[in-house]
Amino acid sequence: MIKAILIFNNHGKPRLSKFYEHYNEDIEQQIIRETFHLVSKRDENVCNFLEGGMLIGGSDYKLIYRHYATLYFVFCVDSSESELGILDLIQVFVETLDKCFENVCELDLIFHVDKVHNILAEMVMGGMVLETNMNEIIMQVDAQNKMEKSEAGIAGAPARAVSAVKNMNLPEMPRNINIGDISIKVPNLPSFK
Amino acid sequence: MALKIVKGSIDRMFDKNLQDLVRGIRNHKEEEAKYISTCIDEIKQELKQDNIAVKANAVCKLTYLQMLGYDVSWAAFNIVEVMSSSKFTYKRIGYLAASQCFHESTDVIMLTTNQIRKDLSSPNQYDTGVALTGLSCFVTPDLARDLANDIMTLMSHTKPYIRKKAVLIMYKVFLKYPESLRPAFPRLKEKLEDPDPGVQSAAVNVICELARRNPKNYLSLAPLFFKLMTSSTNNWVLIKIIKLFGALTPLEPRLGKKLIEPLTNLIHSTSAMSLLYECVNTVIAVLISLSSGMPNHSASIQLCVQKLRILIEDSDQNLKYLGLLAMSKILKTHPKSVQSHKDLILQCLDDKDESIRLRALDLLYGMVSKKNLMEIVKKLMLHVDKAEGTTYRDELLTKIIDICSQSNYQYITNFEWYISILVELTRLEGTRHGHLIASQMLDVAIRVKAIRGFAVAQMATLLDNAHLLTGNVQRKGICEVLYAAAWICGEFSEHLENPMQTLEAMLRPKVATLPGHIQAVYVQNAAKLFATVLKSGEGSADSTAAQEMMIERLPLFVQSANLEVQERASCILQLVKYIQKLQQKDVEIAEEVIALFAGELNPVAPKAQKKVPVPEGLDLDAWINEPPSESESEDEQPKAIFSKEEPKHSRPRHTEVDEKELAKRREARKQEQANNPFYIKASPSSQKVYQEAPGVEHIPVVQIDLTVPLKVPGLPMSDQYVKLEEERRQKDRADKKKKEKKKRKEKRSGRGKKHDSGPESEEDITPAHMVDIVTEEMPENALPSDDDDKDPNDPHKALDIDLDNLVQKAAIRPLADSEKLPVRSHRAAEVLKSPAEDGDAERSVSQEPKKKSSKEKKEKKKDKDRDRKKSKEEKKKKKHKHEDKGEDLLGGQEDEPVVQSEETSEVAAPPSSTTAEVSDLDFWLSNAPVPSNTQGAATVAAAAAADPVPEAASGAAPDSEPEEPKDTEAEETKSSKHKKKKQKKEKEEKEKKKKKKHHHHHRHSDAGGEESVQNGTVEEEEPLPPMSNYCLLAENSYIKMMLEDADQVNDIQGNLQDGSQVVVSVIFENKCESFLKSMEFNVLDSLNSKLQRPEGSGAHDGLTVPFQLPPGVSNEARFVFTMQSIVMPQKLKGTLTFIVKNEDSSTHEKLDFKLHFTCTSYLITTPCYSDAFAKLLESGDLKCSSVKLEGISMPFHHLLARICFHHHFSVVERIDSCASMYSRSIQGHHVCLLVKTSDQTVSIDAKCDEPTLLGNVLDEIKQTFSQC
């Protein structure tokens, strides 16, 4: 079982938090902070497993994380999950994000948490791995987005126009200052499939 | 209208959307909280509007704020509103918000039930998907109960996308509503073989989660998983399955044996490291579970260790880490094979990654031996010096101590070395583990008598240099060591070389800066030292000096703020003064003073107190005084002796009665402890500082900061001891060799040559000095150890549900009324699928209990008893099975449980002839791969049937059942199976009558066809009449043969060609007064049907019945027949020959019979769901036929139950007075029925791909009902 999935940046700012067990908001924030402290002080070339934090988990739980450019992707899992499997799942997740956002960067996650949630929902459900095939995930996400678009129809047009206008100054927000894209290089990942 | 929409959206476009919110927050970095609070106000305004789009936008923003840590539960109702929007866009936003912030105590959650149900049945698969995803995050027990049935329906949805989600969410439903597990399980199991890999993976996932918590219930799924493991190529699924097997193997060693080979193959073949790693892990688990039972598993271990070495040597830190992790598992059972990789592991200690270093440390713990302990510890000590950061260093320290002290200091050969290691550890800066070192010092000094002299000398040096330990504020933790040092010096002061010096060290003014409990020990032990000095020479200069020192220095402690110190100091001060007075009168008092501290202190085992048995006649819970009356007010309570420790006013008032009682008990216990010589009071370290002690809190403390010299002068270096030890060992070895040489010289003439003593082995190392480790004292009649209780709050406890009977062929405990999933009544008709149907049918049964005759009730009760008994026995038998493997076939089939007649209708559908393929677990686990071989091995005899003579109906004469003589049991019960059978019968047969006996073992689905005749005698009654499978086969004055039933055994591989087998059970009952033996069962084979005989026997040889029958005893044997064609009913002639043995004579007798195989006996109850059923009918491959039954007056559900029971059908769907049913033949023919009833007329339309078979089956059905 996966207990939580957290994404935060190099400064510990949460970019996505998904808890498959209920905690109240304060505890959630503490967990994010604690996890950030545990993960951020580790060197780049050490192993990606951490024996659980205090707040989340306990002895049976592990933190499995990957660090991509400016973002940490952390999964908190129990012993029924394969460690290497989860690492691979993180990779699939990021690659999927990359496909869906076309060269994903932190900004995409900042402004479109909802979309990230939707993608995640096609991979992990209620703490259990639902789908690991990237093409299948993308297909389902696309189909849903298409539905959303068709629902918006004419009524959505003005809103889209306005949002386009609003976003006009978005390029000024340095898209590449955030060290640009989450470069998806596959770092000696144990071949999984 | 369109205008309005456009207008609304124009309004809307000036609302902030999520992106605006995020942008705003980023632009207001300084006053983020303020900005967000204005945003929340806006959101509140937006939520008040009618436009759902505005609301959805607001909720979307709230979801973001929730992530930032803002409580948004106040908007729960609005979230529900958005969830119920008809547009997917908004619905998705709503469900996302709900999944992020709803939880069990969210009260609006109960409003969502109907909305979710609507979404679940939405024609749009994404509506359903989004609802399932959301629900998986916030499902509550109520939701789980209400929606379980809907979700179950979705498990057989046509779209795999929905199926996989529905399967996955079932786990959450089970967790919240454990009752749903049993009814849903068959379908879940079916999904393991779903054509869609995603669904399959989800099902594996769920079952693995379930099995991880309660593995024993899922053992019977092992064959299925085994098949998946060998066929699947999806690594995710493989990993899950392999992990599951890891959890199952400890329960069933035979499974492990079966697994080793495929797992090793996978290890060799796979390129995926994750899979390799999990395989290795499971192989390790298997090897652990097998312990040393298997001779050739060293190869597997070697393979594992080899592969792990590759992982550890990999440059990828992750693999290194996992390799070490797995290595530590092997270490527990096979330390030797890991020890050879010591170099590698020591290398890992140098790794830059802390996680890896910690793992390596763990491994070292198990790798030490007498030989390498010193070396390893030396290496660790080096690391201690190098280590940065206190956490890792502390970890090292505790590991060193753990390693050395493990299993009662087993590996320490030289305690002087260990003491010096401990002393060296005290030099660690900033460690928190001072008390750990201290307790080790105490432990060693107390328990190893030989070391005391050395220890005392070391401790004296330590005390002398105490300033080095206490100098630095950071080093506070380590001063605990002084506690041990002072105590050791005092207690074993006779070993001190220079007690005066130590005494001086203990009474230095700086001591007053130490923590109170340490000071107390100092003072007390100073007194002990003083006594020693006094004894060594009364009146000498030393003793006078000591006296003066005591009198001079103790007043400092008398002023201590710590009560304990104060009390002891003033007491001892007075004592010394008194001694001085006496000495001035020239009284010799040294002996008396020493007597104050006489007596040896022995260690007491930590659990000794717990294990003192309560003496007989002592009730610890009994009141010591009269219990206070209820009305008595609290204040009037007599003050207890110990009231000081439990101030009354601190108790919460509302629980006063219980609390009082508890307090009483506690007091009673304390008194008991006070009188108990074995009880050790809490350590004196529980010091309390009383600020209000007047005038003493400001003793001037001068802190001398001594950070530089950390080397304590005069302390021994452990390395020295390592060298010494090496030398000693070498010497020992040399000595030994010399001796051996001598011996050899002496013996040269006598015996042949002795082999040279090889490298030093463990046993060769002798301890440096005689170490007698004083064992810890235990009370004489200590009780065996106490076991740890499981966490009672574990949610998975509720899921510990026995699924075996669901999984196995039938239900021992079929779904009971309470177990059915709740179905909304007005939908009942359309949703009625198997489990729900069960519930329904059952309900109608339970509504009619009044009409049952008393006779029947009696019988029912009996049946129930038997069922219960049976399930108990089943467990027993499982144990037995480990022993007799030859029994597997028989035992396996025996497992097919007997079912109560009343319940036949309920179980008709769900259970699983799918499992018939899987057959029984034991069967599978037996070594024979093909069933026919097993059957050959098992003793199979031949059976044939006479025209079944209608036996007295089961309901008619239950009271006339004979009871069986019990004395012969021992002889009879050669196998566990027989025993079981027998006990069952004994239970069942209360009356002692000989002639008429019958068995109403009610089978549900796999009942044989032979009972059709017997059915005719079953009375017609409103409630479901009992149905029996037993019928008389043949009878004479000696013996009676009863045909129990016939059921089908399918090949495990599901090969239908091999599957054409029918198993016949025959009960033999001895009716005469003589002993029956050498029974032989033979059948004249026809072209079509053949009795399976053991290999090597001729086509006409009989089969020996594997038991003998003493008078009045009955027993059961099973015979396997192979069928070529199953479309026609068969009759086989047969003979049973046997020897009747009296006291004086024996005669040969025979009995002829005819065995009748009906077409329905070739059918297997197979559950089928409506969608698959519909597909089947549409396929057009089936031939149609129909039959009409007139004058049927029984209720419809009885009719269905009867068809299910006698003809092995299962109900697919039932709507009012119309039902579709399904069954499958052993050769894979589908048989579909549509049964309709109106006014005593029942019409059955049937479809089958084999018209002859269909015709015969219909004839048989007709016959069944014509006899009613």
Side-chain angles (χ1 to χ4, degrees), chain A residues 123-134:
Chain A
M123 293 182 65
V124 180
M125 191 177 123
M128 283 180 291
V129 179
L130 179 70
E131 184 59 67
T132 52
N133 181 347
M134 186 162 62

Side-chain angles (χ1 to χ4, degrees), chain B residues 512-642:
Chain B
T513 61
L514 291 173
H517 66 284
I518 298 179
Q519 287 185 51
V521 172
Y522 264 65
V523 172
Q524 183 73 10
N525 285 286
K528 289 182 196 168
L529 276 182
F530 172 66
T532 320
V533 173
L534 210 59
K535 194 194 162 202
S536 65
E538 209 163 344
S540 69
D542 262 5
S543 69
T544 341
Q547 232 164 53
E548 268 160 24
M549 195 166 19
M550 295 285 276
I551 291 171
E552 183 193 333
R553 302 265 177 94
L554 276 177
L556 175 65
F557 297 101
V558 175
Q559 291 171 9
S560 170
N562 189 299
L563 267 189
E564 178 88 14
V565 180
Q566 202 184 36
E567 196 177 342
R568 289 193 188 202
S570 58
C571 199
I572 286 162
L573 183 61
Q574 287 313 309
L575 185 71
V576 176
K577 279 182 181 162
Y578 184 64
I579 291 167
Q580 197 180 30
K581 224 189 262 171
L582 285 177
Q583 276 183 334
Q584 276 159 4
K585 291 177 195 163
D586 278 341
V587 184
E588 295 244 326
I589 48 153
E591 284 305 316
E592 283 159 62
V593 177
I594 214 91
L596 279 177
F597 306 109
E600 182 110 345
L601 284 177
N602 280 337
V604 177
K607 283 180 181 167
Q609 161 72 14
K610 244 189 191 169
K611 295 186 177 181
V612 178
V614 179
E616 225 172 286
L618 175 67
D619 180 7
L620 288 179
D621 293 336
W623 290 100
I624 294 177
N625 299 316
E626 276 301 296
S629 63
E630 286 290 316
S631 60
E632 203 173 8
S633 87
E634 214 179 327
D635 301 326
E636 289 163 14
Q637 274 261 32
K639 273 226 162 165
I641 321 163
F642 297 96

Side-chain angles (χ1 to χ4, degrees), chain B residues 759-774:
Chain B
E760 191 180 21
S761 70
E762 278 284 283
E763 298 77 52
D764 290 341
I765 304 170
T766 47
H769 26 241
M770 253 332 275
V771 183
D772 63 321
I773 295 182
V774 183

